[in-house]
Amino acid sequence: MTDGPESQKRALRAELRERRRIRTATEREREAAAITQHLVDLASDLGSRSIAAYLSTPEEPGTRDFLSWACDQGIRVLLPISRADGLLDWAPYDGEQEDEDLMGMPTPTTELLGPIAINDVDLILVPAASVDRSGMRLGWGRGYFDKTLGSMENCPPVYAVIFDDELVDSVPSERHDQRVDGVVTPSGIVALRP
């Protein structure tokens, strides 16, 4: 008997967490600089004026320098705040003070907006553990972004920010899992769906 998708996901997430944990500071700095440039290129190419993104944690591919750039360019940035009901509220990012939400994720301290605030953005950047070449995203198991993306009627382009070795041939998936349009890695921007 083979393991089902959920146990396959758990095993893969554990492996990916360990790979991220053992990256050196030098690797992280080099990869963060490359990711920042590719995110700037993506937002510029799309003419983005409003972005939904997230504040990266120390072990994640870096989004913070890009978010600072976006704010400096006058691009509206919304960041997620986890709710107990499994939905995400959103708050504008001003590059100032940070707090943590109930999941321990970094969040802004600005005005709290409801879940539908994301409907006005023209680019969404999401975290991921891994993404396959068909655009299937393996998240970290809480389903917040899957619920958000699955509920949007007119979803703008969605890109996951991952390390190069996290773009793979296939990831285990279930019915509720949502695909992304592409990934941004230290090596570049990869469109995965037309």
Side-chain angles (χ1 to χ4, degrees), residues 37-111:
Q37 185 57 57
H38 298 310
L39 288 170
V40 167
D41 293 344
L42 177 65
S44 299
D45 290 349
L46 294 175
S48 298
R49 300 306 315 144
S50 183
I51 296 171
Y54 63 98
L55 288 168
S56 55
T57 62
E59 291 183 353
E60 289 182 302
T63 61
R64 291 170 178 269
D65 289 345
F66 165 72
L67 295 177
S68 294
W69 172 86
C71 288
D72 290 347
Q73 300 301 306
I75 296 171
R76 183 173 188 238
V77 176
L78 296 181
L79 300 178
I81 299 174
S82 307
R83 295 177 12 169
D85 63 4
L87 299 177
L88 293 172
D89 280 325
W90 298 88
Y93 180 60
D94 60 8
E96 300 296 322
Q97 294 182 339
E98 289 181 24
D99 199 357
E100 286 186 355
D101 66 16
L102 62 95
M103 302 306 289
M105 300 308 294
T107 62
T109 58
T110 55
E111 173 192 8

Side-chain angles (χ1 to χ4, degrees), residues 20 26 52 130 135 140 148 155 159-160 185 191:
R20 285 185 175 188
T26 304
S130 186
W140 292 106
T148 298
C155 195
Y159 281 77
T185 74

Side-chain angles (χ1 to χ4, degrees), residues 49-54 76-81 87-92 112-127 144-159:
R49 300 306 315 144
S50 183
I51 296 171
Y54 63 98
R76 183 173 188 238
V77 176
L78 296 181
L79 300 178
I81 299 174
L87 299 177
L88 293 172
D89 280 325
W90 298 88
L112 190 66
L113 307 174
I116 64 170
I118 194 175
N119 291 337
D120 297 329
V121 303
D122 50 34
L123 173 62
I124 300 174
L125 301 175
V126 296
Y144 282 95
F145 283 99
D146 288 322
K147 286 179 191 146
T148 298
L149 298 175
S151 70
M152 295 182 74
E153 270 187 47
N154 298 308
C155 195
V158 178
Y159 281 77

